[in-house]
Amino acid sequence: MNLPDFQAFQHAFGRHLRDPHHTPRPAGVPARRMAVYNELLFNNITGALDACFPLCRKLLGDIRWRRLNRTFFRDWKASSPWFREIPREFVRYLNECAIRQPLPAWFAELAHYEWIELAVDTMDCPTPPHQPAGDLMRQPIVLNPALRLLAFAWPVQRIGPGYRPRKPQPTQLVVYRDAKDRVRFVATNPVTARLLALLGAQPTAGEAACRQIAAELQRSDPAPVIAFGVDLLDDLRRQGIVLGTAA
Amino acid sequence: MPQHLMPRQAASGAGLGFRRELIEPLKRGVPEVIRFFEIAPENWAGVGGKSAKDLRHFSERYPFVCHGLSLSLGGPAPLDEALLLRIRSFMAEHGIMLYTEHLSWCADDSQLYDLLPIPLSEKAVKWTVDRIARAQDILGRRIGIENASYYVAPPDAEMSESEFISAIVRESDCLLHLDVNNIYVNSRNFGFDPLAFLDALPLERTCYVHVAGHYVEADGLLIDTHGADVIDPVWSLLATAYQRIGDVPTCLERDFNIPDLGRLSAEVETIARLQNAARQPQAA
Protein backbone atom coordinates (compact mmCIF):
# COMPACT_ATOMS: atom_id res chain seq x y z
CA MET A 1 0.00 0.00 0.00
CA ASN A 2 1.29 3.45 -0.85
CA LEU A 3 1.69 5.77 2.10
CA PRO A 4 0.33 9.28 1.83
CA ASP A 5 3.13 11.70 0.94
CA PHE A 6 3.22 13.23 4.40
CA GLN A 7 3.89 9.84 5.96
CA ALA A 8 6.53 8.98 3.38
CA PHE A 9 8.26 12.19 4.48
CA GLN A 10 7.93 11.23 8.14
CA HIS A 11 9.47 7.81 7.57
CA ALA A 12 12.35 9.29 5.56
CA PHE A 13 12.87 11.86 8.31
CA GLY A 14 12.88 9.20 11.02
CA ARG A 15 15.32 6.98 9.08
CA HIS A 16 17.73 9.87 8.69
CA LEU A 17 17.46 10.87 12.37
CA ARG A 18 18.38 7.36 13.44
CA ASP A 19 21.30 6.98 11.06
CA PRO A 20 22.34 10.36 9.66
CA HIS A 21 25.67 9.12 8.22
CA HIS A 22 24.23 6.27 6.17
CA THR A 23 20.79 7.42 5.05
CA PRO A 24 20.06 10.37 2.78
CA ARG A 25 18.69 13.61 4.15
CA PRO A 26 15.02 13.88 3.11
CA ALA A 27 14.52 15.86 -0.10
CA GLY A 28 13.89 19.55 0.43
CA VAL A 29 15.38 19.66 3.93
CA PRO A 30 18.36 22.03 4.40
CA ALA A 31 21.46 20.47 5.99
CA ARG A 32 21.77 23.17 8.67
CA ARG A 33 18.22 22.65 9.86
CA MET A 34 18.43 18.86 9.72
CA ALA A 35 21.57 19.08 11.87
CA VAL A 36 19.52 20.78 14.61
CA TYR A 37 17.21 17.78 14.83
CA ASN A 38 20.03 15.25 14.57
CA GLU A 39 21.74 16.90 17.50
CA LEU A 40 18.60 17.44 19.62
CA LEU A 41 17.36 13.88 19.30
CA PHE A 42 20.68 12.15 19.85
CA ASN A 43 21.34 14.44 22.84
CA ASN A 44 18.05 13.34 24.39
CA ILE A 45 19.16 9.73 24.12
CA THR A 46 22.70 10.25 25.38
CA GLY A 47 21.46 12.48 28.21
CA ALA A 48 19.13 9.74 29.47
CA LEU A 49 21.78 7.03 29.08
CA ASP A 50 24.66 9.01 30.61
CA ALA A 51 22.56 9.78 33.67
CA CYS A 52 21.60 6.15 34.29
CA PHE A 53 24.78 4.30 33.27
CA PRO A 54 27.83 6.24 34.56
CA LEU A 55 29.87 3.08 35.15
CA CYS A 56 29.08 1.50 31.77
CA ARG A 57 30.16 4.74 30.15
CA LYS A 58 33.37 4.98 32.15
CA LEU A 59 34.41 1.37 31.55
CA LEU A 60 33.69 1.47 27.84
CA GLY A 61 35.25 4.91 27.28
CA ASP A 62 33.44 7.78 25.62
CA ILE A 63 34.11 6.85 22.00
CA ARG A 64 32.89 3.26 22.28
CA TRP A 65 30.02 4.36 24.57
CA ARG A 66 28.76 6.90 22.04
CA ARG A 67 29.03 4.34 19.23
CA LEU A 68 26.85 1.99 21.32
CA ASN A 69 24.38 4.82 22.07
CA ARG A 70 24.11 5.43 18.34
CA THR A 71 23.46 1.80 17.38
CA PHE A 72 20.86 1.66 20.15
CA PHE A 73 19.06 4.68 18.70
CA ARG A 74 19.46 3.30 15.15
CA ASP A 75 18.56 -0.36 15.66
CA TRP A 76 16.28 -0.67 18.68
CA LYS A 77 12.54 -0.23 18.29
CA ALA A 78 11.86 1.66 21.52
CA SER A 79 8.17 1.29 22.26
CA SER A 80 7.89 3.03 25.62
CA PRO A 81 6.38 6.52 25.55
CA TRP A 82 7.83 7.13 29.04
CA PHE A 83 11.10 9.05 28.99
CA ARG A 84 12.25 7.41 32.20
CA GLU A 85 12.13 4.06 30.40
CA ILE A 86 14.77 4.96 27.80
CA PRO A 87 17.36 3.25 30.08
CA ARG A 88 15.13 0.18 30.32
CA GLU A 89 14.90 0.09 26.53
CA PHE A 90 18.71 0.22 26.44
CA VAL A 91 18.99 -2.77 28.81
CA ARG A 92 16.57 -4.68 26.59
CA TYR A 93 18.62 -3.71 23.53
CA LEU A 94 21.77 -5.12 25.14
CA ASN A 95 19.99 -8.37 26.00
CA GLU A 96 17.89 -8.92 22.91
CA CYS A 97 19.72 -7.42 19.95
CA ALA A 98 22.65 -8.90 18.06
CA ILE A 99 25.21 -6.13 18.63
CA ARG A 100 28.24 -6.17 16.36
CA GLN A 101 30.37 -3.92 18.53
CA PRO A 102 32.57 -6.08 20.81
CA LEU A 103 31.55 -5.58 24.44
CA PRO A 104 32.85 -7.10 27.68
CA ALA A 105 31.03 -10.35 28.56
CA TRP A 106 29.64 -8.75 31.73
CA PHE A 107 28.52 -5.50 30.07
CA ALA A 108 24.78 -6.24 29.71
CA GLU A 109 24.63 -7.38 33.34
CA LEU A 110 26.44 -4.27 34.52
CA ALA A 111 23.92 -2.13 32.62
CA HIS A 112 21.05 -4.05 34.21
CA TYR A 113 22.64 -3.50 37.62
CA GLU A 114 22.95 0.25 37.02
CA TRP A 115 19.40 0.54 35.66
CA ILE A 116 17.76 -1.38 38.52
CA GLU A 117 18.45 1.45 40.97
CA LEU A 118 16.32 3.82 38.87
CA ALA A 119 13.68 1.12 38.37
CA VAL A 120 13.31 0.35 42.08
CA ASP A 121 13.45 4.03 43.01
CA THR A 122 10.36 4.74 40.88
CA MET A 123 8.44 1.42 41.13
CA ASP A 124 4.76 2.16 41.67
CA CYS A 125 3.66 -0.28 44.37
CA PRO A 126 1.71 0.82 47.41
CA THR A 127 2.72 -0.69 50.75
CA PRO A 128 0.26 -3.49 51.59
CA PRO A 129 -1.36 -3.69 55.04
CA HIS A 130 0.83 -5.66 57.45
CA GLN A 131 1.67 -6.31 61.10
CA PRO A 132 5.23 -5.03 61.55
CA ALA A 133 5.73 -7.08 64.73
CA GLY A 134 3.92 -10.25 63.56
CA ASP A 135 5.27 -13.77 64.10
CA LEU A 136 7.25 -14.41 60.93
CA MET A 137 7.50 -18.18 61.46
CA ARG A 138 3.77 -18.77 61.93
CA GLN A 139 1.94 -16.04 59.99
CA PRO A 140 2.02 -15.41 56.23
CA ILE A 141 4.89 -13.04 55.54
CA VAL A 142 4.41 -9.71 53.74
CA LEU A 143 7.43 -8.81 51.61
CA ASN A 144 8.36 -5.26 50.69
CA PRO A 145 6.73 -4.91 47.22
CA ALA A 146 9.34 -2.35 46.06
CA LEU A 147 11.89 -5.11 45.65
CA ARG A 148 13.74 -6.95 42.91
CA LEU A 149 15.54 -10.23 43.34
CA LEU A 150 18.34 -10.49 40.80
CA ALA A 151 20.65 -13.32 39.80
CA PHE A 152 23.73 -12.39 37.79
CA ALA A 153 26.44 -14.57 36.29
CA TRP A 154 29.05 -11.90 37.08
CA PRO A 155 29.95 -10.09 40.33
CA VAL A 156 28.33 -6.90 39.03
CA GLN A 157 28.44 -5.00 42.31
CA ARG A 158 32.26 -5.20 42.38
CA ILE A 159 32.92 -4.19 38.77
CA GLY A 160 34.67 -0.84 38.40
CA PRO A 161 37.73 0.81 36.88
CA GLY A 162 39.95 -1.29 39.16
CA TYR A 163 38.12 -4.60 38.66
CA ARG A 164 37.08 -6.09 35.34
CA PRO A 165 36.34 -9.75 36.06
CA ARG A 166 37.67 -12.42 33.72
CA LYS A 167 35.61 -15.28 35.11
CA PRO A 168 31.90 -15.45 35.96
CA GLN A 169 30.93 -15.63 39.61
CA PRO A 170 27.25 -16.23 40.33
CA THR A 171 25.84 -13.30 42.29
CA GLN A 172 22.45 -12.80 43.93
CA LEU A 173 21.28 -9.34 44.88
CA VAL A 174 18.23 -8.01 46.64
CA VAL A 175 17.49 -4.44 45.54
CA TYR A 176 14.71 -2.67 47.42
CA ARG A 177 13.34 0.66 48.54
CA ASP A 178 13.40 1.15 52.30
CA ALA A 179 10.89 2.97 54.50
CA LYS A 180 12.67 6.27 53.80
CA ASP A 181 12.45 5.66 50.03
CA ARG A 182 16.18 5.03 49.68
CA VAL A 183 17.27 2.25 47.32
CA ARG A 184 19.34 -0.46 49.04
CA PHE A 185 21.47 -3.22 47.52
CA VAL A 186 22.11 -6.36 49.55
CA ALA A 187 24.24 -9.25 48.30
CA THR A 188 22.69 -12.53 49.33
CA ASN A 189 23.19 -16.30 49.05
CA PRO A 190 21.25 -18.91 47.07
CA VAL A 191 19.26 -20.13 50.10
CA THR A 192 18.14 -16.62 51.09
CA ALA A 193 17.33 -15.86 47.45
CA ARG A 194 15.22 -19.02 47.27
CA LEU A 195 13.42 -18.09 50.50
CA LEU A 196 12.61 -14.62 49.16
CA ALA A 197 11.42 -16.11 45.88
CA LEU A 198 9.04 -18.44 47.77
CA LEU A 199 7.71 -15.56 49.87
CA GLY A 200 7.32 -13.38 46.79
CA ALA A 201 5.40 -16.07 44.87
CA GLN A 202 2.68 -16.28 47.52
CA PRO A 203 2.22 -15.24 51.16
CA THR A 204 3.81 -18.07 53.17
CA ALA A 205 4.69 -18.41 56.84
CA GLY A 206 8.42 -18.66 57.60
CA GLU A 207 8.30 -22.20 58.93
CA ALA A 208 6.45 -23.57 55.91
CA ALA A 209 8.90 -21.86 53.57
CA CYS A 210 11.86 -23.30 55.53
CA ARG A 211 10.36 -26.79 55.37
CA GLN A 212 10.00 -26.51 51.63
CA ILE A 213 13.61 -25.39 51.26
CA ALA A 214 14.78 -28.26 53.48
CA ALA A 215 12.87 -30.66 51.22
CA GLU A 216 14.38 -29.07 48.10
CA LEU A 217 17.84 -29.48 49.68
CA GLN A 218 16.92 -33.12 50.46
CA ARG A 219 17.54 -32.67 54.20
CA SER A 220 15.84 -35.37 56.24
CA ASP A 221 15.70 -33.06 59.29
CA PRO A 222 14.27 -29.57 58.61
CA ALA A 223 15.11 -28.28 62.12
CA PRO A 224 18.49 -26.67 61.28
CA VAL A 225 16.97 -24.89 58.26
CA ILE A 226 14.09 -23.64 60.43
CA ALA A 227 16.51 -22.42 63.11
CA PHE A 228 18.50 -20.64 60.41
CA GLY A 229 15.26 -19.15 59.08
CA VAL A 230 14.29 -17.56 62.41
CA ASP A 231 17.41 -15.39 62.53
CA LEU A 232 17.41 -14.76 58.81
CA LEU A 233 13.82 -13.51 58.72
CA ASP A 234 14.38 -11.25 61.73
CA ASP A 235 17.37 -9.83 59.94
CA LEU A 236 15.38 -9.32 56.72
CA ARG A 237 12.70 -7.50 58.72
CA ARG A 238 15.29 -5.22 60.34
CA GLN A 239 16.54 -4.30 56.86
CA GLY A 240 13.04 -3.57 55.57
CA ILE A 241 13.08 -6.42 53.03
CA VAL A 242 10.35 -8.18 55.00
CA LEU A 243 7.65 -5.77 56.19
CA GLY A 244 5.90 -8.09 58.69
CA THR A 245 2.99 -10.49 58.54
CA ALA A 246 -0.45 -10.34 56.95
CA ALA A 247 -2.76 -8.18 59.06
CA MET B 1 -15.69 9.37 45.10
CA PRO B 2 -12.94 6.80 45.84
CA GLN B 3 -10.45 8.14 48.33
CA HIS B 4 -7.51 8.22 45.95
CA LEU B 5 -9.30 10.53 43.50
CA MET B 6 -8.78 14.25 44.04
CA PRO B 7 -11.51 16.83 43.59
CA ARG B 8 -10.98 18.55 40.26
CA GLN B 9 -9.32 21.93 40.29
CA ALA B 10 -9.16 24.23 37.28
CA ALA B 11 -5.95 26.15 36.71
CA SER B 12 -6.12 29.93 36.49
CA GLY B 13 -3.69 32.83 36.58
CA ALA B 14 0.05 32.21 36.28
CA GLY B 15 1.82 28.89 36.79
CA LEU B 16 5.18 27.15 36.61
CA GLY B 17 6.46 23.93 35.06
CA PHE B 18 6.86 21.40 37.89
CA ARG B 19 10.34 19.87 38.00
CA ARG B 20 12.16 17.61 40.41
CA GLU B 21 14.92 20.20 40.82
CA LEU B 22 12.36 22.64 42.23
CA ILE B 23 10.66 20.35 44.72
CA GLU B 24 12.83 21.13 47.75
CA PRO B 25 12.70 24.93 47.30
CA LEU B 26 8.95 24.74 46.66
CA LYS B 27 8.49 22.74 49.87
CA ARG B 28 10.11 25.59 51.77
CA GLY B 29 7.45 27.89 50.37
CA VAL B 30 5.55 28.36 47.12
CA PRO B 31 5.71 32.01 45.99
CA GLU B 32 2.22 33.46 46.15
CA VAL B 33 2.18 34.39 42.48
CA ILE B 34 2.34 30.72 41.43
CA ARG B 35 -1.27 29.61 41.17
CA PHE B 36 -0.84 26.24 39.44
CA PHE B 37 1.77 23.79 38.17
CA GLU B 38 2.21 21.95 34.90
CA ILE B 39 3.60 18.43 34.48
CA ALA B 40 4.36 16.06 31.65
CA PRO B 41 2.38 12.87 32.36
CA GLU B 42 5.16 10.97 30.57
CA ASN B 43 7.51 11.86 33.41
CA TRP B 44 5.17 11.29 36.34
CA ALA B 45 2.37 8.79 35.62
CA GLY B 46 3.02 5.32 37.01
CA VAL B 47 5.88 6.53 39.19
CA GLY B 48 6.01 5.46 42.84
CA GLY B 49 8.34 6.16 45.74
CA LYS B 50 9.56 9.56 46.80
CA SER B 51 8.68 11.31 43.52
CA ALA B 52 5.07 10.18 43.81
CA LYS B 53 4.79 11.43 47.40
CA ASP B 54 6.28 14.77 46.41
CA LEU B 55 3.85 15.17 43.53
CA ARG B 56 0.88 14.27 45.72
CA HIS B 57 1.98 16.81 48.32
CA PHE B 58 1.62 19.57 45.74
CA SER B 59 -1.36 18.22 43.77
CA GLU B 60 -3.35 18.18 47.02
CA ARG B 61 -2.69 21.90 47.37
CA TYR B 62 -2.53 23.31 43.83
CA PRO B 63 -4.27 22.77 40.50
CA PHE B 64 -2.13 20.97 37.93
CA VAL B 65 -2.21 20.94 34.13
CA CYS B 66 -1.04 17.94 32.07
CA HIS B 67 1.14 18.81 29.11
CA GLY B 68 1.96 15.73 27.05
CA LEU B 69 5.10 14.88 25.11
CA SER B 70 4.71 11.42 23.56
CA LEU B 71 1.26 11.12 22.04
CA SER B 72 2.53 11.83 18.52
CA LEU B 73 -0.75 13.34 17.34
CA GLY B 74 0.49 13.67 13.75
CA GLY B 75 2.58 10.50 13.72
CA PRO B 76 2.26 7.55 11.32
CA ALA B 77 2.13 4.80 14.01
CA PRO B 78 -1.20 3.75 15.53
CA LEU B 79 -2.41 6.12 18.26
CA ASP B 80 -1.11 4.97 21.66
CA GLU B 81 -4.43 4.32 23.38
CA ALA B 82 -2.78 2.62 26.35
CA LEU B 83 -0.91 5.87 26.99
CA LEU B 84 -4.17 7.81 26.80
CA LEU B 85 -5.86 5.48 29.28
CA ARG B 86 -2.94 5.87 31.66
CA ILE B 87 -3.12 9.65 31.29
CA ARG B 88 -6.85 9.56 31.97
CA SER B 89 -6.36 7.73 35.27
CA PHE B 90 -3.39 9.93 36.18
CA MET B 91 -5.55 13.02 35.68
CA ALA B 92 -8.26 11.51 37.87
CA GLU B 93 -5.71 10.61 40.56
CA HIS B 94 -4.60 14.23 40.77
CA GLY B 95 -7.82 16.07 39.95
CA ILE B 96 -6.37 17.45 36.70
CA MET B 97 -8.86 18.99 34.28
CA LEU B 98 -6.76 20.10 31.32
CA TYR B 99 -4.55 18.05 29.00
CA THR B 100 -2.68 19.56 26.09
CA GLU B 101 -0.30 18.08 23.50
CA HIS B 102 1.94 19.40 20.77
CA LEU B 103 0.72 19.55 17.23
CA SER B 104 3.65 17.43 16.09
CA TRP B 105 4.82 13.83 15.85
CA CYS B 106 7.48 11.95 17.81
CA ALA B 107 7.39 8.33 16.65
CA ASP B 108 7.51 6.54 13.29
CA ASP B 109 7.43 2.80 13.95
CA SER B 110 9.05 3.43 17.34
CA GLN B 111 9.72 6.32 19.65
CA LEU B 112 12.03 9.16 18.61
CA TYR B 113 11.57 11.11 21.88
CA ASP B 114 11.33 14.62 20.43
CA LEU B 115 8.81 16.83 18.66
CA LEU B 116 8.92 16.88 14.87
CA PRO B 117 7.05 18.99 12.28
CA ILE B 118 4.00 17.58 10.50
CA PRO B 119 3.87 18.22 6.73
CA LEU B 120 1.14 20.79 6.09
CA SER B 121 -1.14 18.77 3.82
CA GLU B 122 -4.87 18.04 3.56
CA LYS B 123 -4.27 14.38 4.24
CA ALA B 124 -2.24 15.24 7.33
CA VAL B 125 -5.11 17.44 8.56
CA LYS B 126 -7.57 14.58 8.17
CA TRP B 127 -5.20 12.06 9.77
CA THR B 128 -4.47 14.29 12.76
CA VAL B 129 -8.11 15.33 13.24
CA ASP B 130 -9.16 11.67 13.48
CA ARG B 131 -6.49 11.00 16.10
CA ILE B 132 -7.41 14.06 18.17
CA ALA B 133 -11.06 13.03 18.03
CA ARG B 134 -10.13 9.55 19.29
CA ALA B 135 -7.96 11.04 22.05
CA GLN B 136 -10.84 13.28 23.12
CA ASP B 137 -13.19 10.28 23.19
CA ILE B 138 -10.82 8.31 25.41
CA LEU B 139 -10.09 11.20 27.76
CA GLY B 140 -13.74 12.26 27.84
CA ARG B 141 -12.85 15.91 27.31
CA ARG B 142 -11.55 18.38 24.76
CA ILE B 143 -7.79 18.58 24.57
CA GLY B 144 -5.62 21.58 23.73
CA ILE B 145 -3.13 21.40 20.86
CA GLU B 146 0.00 23.51 21.01
CA ASN B 147 1.53 25.35 18.07
CA ALA B 148 5.00 23.76 18.11
CA SER B 149 8.44 25.13 17.38
CA TYR B 150 10.21 23.61 14.38
CA TYR B 151 13.44 24.03 12.45
CA VAL B 152 12.46 22.34 9.19
CA ALA B 153 9.43 23.25 7.12
CA PRO B 154 8.51 19.96 5.41
CA PRO B 155 8.47 20.49 1.62
CA ASP B 156 5.37 20.58 -0.59
CA ALA B 157 3.15 22.39 1.92
CA GLU B 158 -0.44 22.70 0.70
CA MET B 159 -1.33 25.46 3.17
CA SER B 160 0.17 27.81 5.73
CA GLU B 161 0.81 26.67 9.29
CA SER B 162 -1.94 28.88 10.70
CA GLU B 163 -4.39 27.42 8.15
CA PHE B 164 -3.25 23.95 9.17
CA ILE B 165 -3.80 24.67 12.87
CA SER B 166 -7.14 26.38 12.24
CA ALA B 167 -8.45 23.48 10.13
CA ILE B 168 -7.46 20.95 12.78
CA VAL B 169 -8.97 22.93 15.66
CA ARG B 170 -12.19 23.46 13.70
CA GLU B 171 -12.60 19.91 12.40
CA SER B 172 -11.67 18.11 15.61
CA ASP B 173 -13.49 20.61 17.86
CA CYS B 174 -10.43 20.78 20.10
CA LEU B 175 -8.89 23.75 21.92
CA LEU B 176 -5.83 25.85 21.17
CA HIS B 177 -2.82 25.85 23.46
CA LEU B 178 -0.99 29.01 22.43
CA ASP B 179 2.80 29.07 22.82
CA VAL B 180 4.03 32.63 22.22
CA ASN B 181 7.72 31.71 22.42
CA ASN B 182 7.22 29.11 19.70
CA ILE B 183 5.59 31.73 17.47
CA TYR B 184 8.53 34.06 18.07
CA VAL B 185 11.18 31.37 17.49
CA ASN B 186 9.53 30.19 14.27
CA SER B 187 8.97 33.76 13.04
CA ARG B 188 12.69 34.48 13.38
CA ASN B 189 13.82 31.17 11.92
CA PHE B 190 11.45 31.37 8.95
CA GLY B 191 11.12 35.13 8.51
CA PHE B 192 7.45 35.84 9.09
CA ASP B 193 5.53 38.43 11.10
CA PRO B 194 4.63 36.95 14.52
CA LEU B 195 1.66 39.28 15.01
CA ALA B 196 0.12 38.38 11.67
CA PHE B 197 0.62 34.72 12.53
CA LEU B 198 -0.99 35.21 15.95
CA ASP B 199 -4.01 36.89 14.43
CA ALA B 200 -4.46 34.10 11.90
CA LEU B 201 -4.88 31.50 14.66
CA PRO B 202 -8.27 30.45 16.06
CA LEU B 203 -7.60 32.49 19.19
CA GLU B 204 -11.20 32.26 20.40
CA ARG B 205 -10.43 28.58 21.15
CA THR B 206 -7.44 29.33 23.40
CA CYS B 207 -7.50 27.31 26.64
CA TYR B 208 -3.92 27.72 27.81
CA VAL B 209 -0.74 29.68 27.11
CA HIS B 210 2.99 28.95 27.31
CA VAL B 211 5.81 31.42 27.59
CA ALA B 212 9.51 30.47 27.70
CA GLY B 213 13.05 31.47 26.85
CA HIS B 214 15.13 30.18 23.97
CA TYR B 215 18.76 29.97 22.84
CA VAL B 216 20.38 31.82 19.95
CA GLU B 217 23.05 29.86 18.05
CA ALA B 218 26.16 31.50 16.60
CA ASP B 219 24.59 31.83 13.14
CA GLY B 220 21.43 33.42 14.55
CA LEU B 221 19.20 30.33 14.51
CA LEU B 222 16.87 30.27 17.52
CA ILE B 223 16.51 27.01 19.44
CA ASP B 224 13.46 26.47 21.66
CA THR B 225 15.42 25.21 24.68
CA HIS B 226 13.33 26.55 27.60
CA GLY B 227 16.78 27.19 29.05
CA ALA B 228 16.97 30.98 29.34
CA ASP B 229 14.99 33.96 30.61
CA VAL B 230 12.04 35.14 28.52
CA ILE B 231 13.07 38.02 26.24
CA ASP B 232 11.18 41.30 25.82
CA PRO B 233 9.78 40.68 22.32
CA VAL B 234 8.19 37.47 23.64
CA TRP B 235 6.72 39.33 26.63
CA SER B 236 5.20 41.90 24.31
CA LEU B 237 3.80 39.14 22.10
CA LEU B 238 2.22 37.69 25.25
CA ALA B 239 0.75 41.10 26.15
CA THR B 240 -0.71 41.39 22.65
CA ALA B 241 -2.13 37.89 22.88
CA TYR B 242 -3.88 38.78 26.16
CA GLN B 243 -5.53 41.75 24.42
CA ARG B 244 -7.09 39.23 22.03
CA ILE B 245 -7.88 36.33 24.38
CA GLY B 246 -8.05 37.76 27.91
CA ASP B 247 -6.16 36.36 30.88
CA VAL B 248 -6.06 32.69 29.92
CA PRO B 249 -4.02 30.51 32.37
CA THR B 250 -0.37 30.76 31.43
CA CYS B 251 2.63 28.65 32.36
CA LEU B 252 6.30 29.60 32.43
CA GLU B 253 8.33 26.71 31.01
CA ARG B 254 11.88 26.32 32.23
CA ASP B 255 13.63 23.00 31.58
CA PHE B 256 17.37 23.78 31.50
CA ASN B 257 19.78 26.11 33.35
CA ILE B 258 17.12 26.34 36.01
CA PRO B 259 17.72 29.42 38.17
CA ASP B 260 16.64 29.79 41.78
CA LEU B 261 12.98 29.94 42.61
CA GLY B 262 13.16 33.69 43.27
CA ARG B 263 14.24 34.44 39.73
CA LEU B 264 11.68 32.06 38.27
CA SER B 265 8.87 33.56 40.30
CA ALA B 266 9.88 37.04 39.11
CA GLU B 267 9.08 35.82 35.58
CA VAL B 268 5.82 34.28 36.79
CA GLU B 269 5.05 37.73 38.31
CA THR B 270 5.51 39.27 34.89
CA ILE B 271 2.90 36.86 33.53
CA ALA B 272 0.50 37.83 36.34
CA ARG B 273 1.13 41.53 35.75
CA LEU B 274 0.35 41.22 32.04
CA GLN B 275 -2.77 39.20 32.86
CA ASN B 276 -3.87 41.93 35.27
CA ALA B 277 -3.30 44.59 32.65
CA ALA B 278 -5.47 42.60 30.23
CA ARG B 279 -8.28 42.61 32.79
CA GLN B 280 -8.30 46.42 33.09
CA PRO B 281 -10.71 48.24 30.76
CA GLN B 282 -8.84 49.51 27.73
CA ALA B 283 -8.02 53.24 27.83
CA ALA B 284 -9.85 55.16 25.08
Side-chain angles (χ1 to χ4, degrees), chain A residues 105-201:
Chain A
W106 37 260
F107 192 80
E109 288 200 346
L110 180 66
H112 192 151
Y113 172 74
E114 289 203 278
W115 164 70
I116 202 72
E117 179 169 7
L118 171 72
V120 170
D121 185 42
T122 57
M123 273 172 79
D124 188 14
C125 42
T127 304
H130 61 276
Q131 292 288 350
D135 183 340
L136 298 177
M137 294 312 282
R138 298 192 200 298
Q139 299 295 321
I141 288 174
V142 177
L143 268 189
N144 183 339
L147 178 146
R148 282 281 181 272
L149 200 54
L150 300 170
F152 293 110
W154 297 87
V156 284
Q157 82 282 22
R158 291 168 52 210
I159 295 176
Y163 180 64
R164 298 172 192 241
R166 291 168 178 277
K167 285 185 192 155
Q169 180 189 321
T171 300
Q172 280 95 20
L173 293 177
V174 184
V175 187
Y176 67 105
R177 203 163 69 208
D178 70 13
K180 291 182 173 164
D181 285 323
R182 286 171 305 206
V183 177
R184 303 276 185 190
F185 288 77
V186 177
T188 181
N189 56 53
V191 174
T192 307
R194 179 65 188 140
L195 176 65
L196 289 170
L198 286 174
L199 299 176

Side-chain angles (χ1 to χ4, degrees), chain A residues 66-85:
Chain A
R66 282 289 172 259
R67 191 184 308 150
L68 185 63
N69 296 168
R70 172 55 72 183
T71 54
F72 163 64
F73 189 43
R74 185 188 70 194
D75 298 337
W76 182 249
K77 301 289 176 213
S79 58
S80 174
W82 315 109
F83 284 63
R84 65 175 180 280
E85 289 189 347

Side-chain angles (χ1 to χ4, degrees), chain A:
Chain A
M1 193 186 76
N2 276 341
L3 290 174
D5 289 350
F6 82 94
Q7 292 187 339
F9 173 83
Q10 289 174 318
H11 285 290
F13 208 79
R15 278 194 298 275
H16 184 70
L17 284 167
R18 289 201 168 80
D19 194 11
H21 297 303
H22 302 101
T23 55
R25 193 167 73 242
V29 174
R32 169 71 179 100
R33 300 303 183 91
M34 193 69 230
V36 172
Y37 283 112
N38 284 332
E39 190 177 331
L40 281 177
L41 273 78
F42 194 52
N43 282 350
N44 289 343
I45 299 295
T46 59
L49 297 179
D50 290 357
C52 187
F53 303 103
L55 205 48
C56 286
R57 178 185 180 181
K58 189 167 195 170
L59 296 189
L60 216 52
D62 270 350
I63 292 172
R64 296 171 68 203
W65 173 244
R66 282 289 172 259
R67 191 184 308 150
L68 185 63
N69 296 168
R70 172 55 72 183
T71 54
F72 163 64
F73 189 43
R74 185 188 70 194
D75 298 337
W76 182 249
K77 301 289 176 213
S79 58
S80 174
W82 315 109
F83 284 63
R84 65 175 180 280
E85 289 189 347
I86 295 173
R88 175 171 178 261
E89 296 279 0
F90 183 69
V91 171
R92 290 184 56 200
Y93 166 69
L94 293 176
N95 283 306
E96 295 172 30
C97 234
I99 299 170
R100 287 174 62 189
Q101 180 178 349
L103 296 169
W106 37 260
F107 192 80
E109 288 200 346
L110 180 66
H112 192 151
Y113 172 74
E114 289 203 278
W115 164 70
I116 202 72
E117 179 169 7
L118 171 72
V120 170
D121 185 42
T122 57
M123 273 172 79
D124 188 14
C125 42
T127 304
H130 61 276
Q131 292 288 350
D135 183 340
L136 298 177
M137 294 312 282
R138 298 192 200 298
Q139 299 295 321
I141 288 174
V142 177
L143 268 189
N144 183 339
L147 178 146
R148 282 281 181 272
L149 200 54
L150 300 170
F152 293 110
W154 297 87
V156 284
Q157 82 282 22
R158 291 168 52 210
I159 295 176
Y163 180 64
R164 298 172 192 241
R166 291 168 178 277
K167 285 185 192 155
Q169 180 189 321
T171 300
Q172 280 95 20
L173 293 177
V174 184
V175 187
Y176 67 105
R177 203 163 69 208
D178 70 13
K180 291 182 173 164
D181 285 323
R182 286 171 305 206
V183 177
R184 303 276 185 190
F185 288 77
V186 177
T188 181
N189 56 53
V191 174
T192 307
R194 179 65 188 140
L195 176 65
L196 289 170
L198 286 174
L199 299 176
Q202 60 180 48
T204 310
E207 188 176 322
C210 288
R211 284 184 188 279
Q212 180 168 343
I213 290 173
E216 288 172 2
L217 295 172
Q218 295 174 334
R219 302 283 174 83
S220 52
D221 178 10
V225 177
I226 292 171
F228 170 77
V230 171
D231 291 343
L232 175 62
L233 285 166
D234 270 340
D235 201 38
L236 292 172
R237 173 155 59 187
R238 243 190 322 276
Q239 295 178 84
I241 294 171
V242 160
L243 295 180
T245 59

Side-chain angles (χ1 to χ4, degrees), chain B residues 113-168:
Chain B
Y113 300 111
D114 212 327
L115 306 166
L116 304 168
I118 307 172
L120 307 175
S121 77
E122 298 285 355
K123 281 184 178 157
V125 168
K126 166 102 180 61
W127 177 262
T128 307
V129 163
D130 288 348
R131 291 160 69 88
I132 293 172
R134 181 75 188 124
Q136 295 187 135
D137 283 349
I138 291 173
L139 293 176
R141 69 189 65 230
R142 288 199 183 96
I143 70 170
I145 56 166
E146 181 190 322
N147 59 295
S149 55
Y150 51 89
Y151 310 99
V152 163
D156 306 321
E158 295 166 9
M159 63 191 85
S160 70
E161 189 197 355
S162 55
E163 287 167 337
F164 184 73
I165 295 171
S166 301
I168 287 173

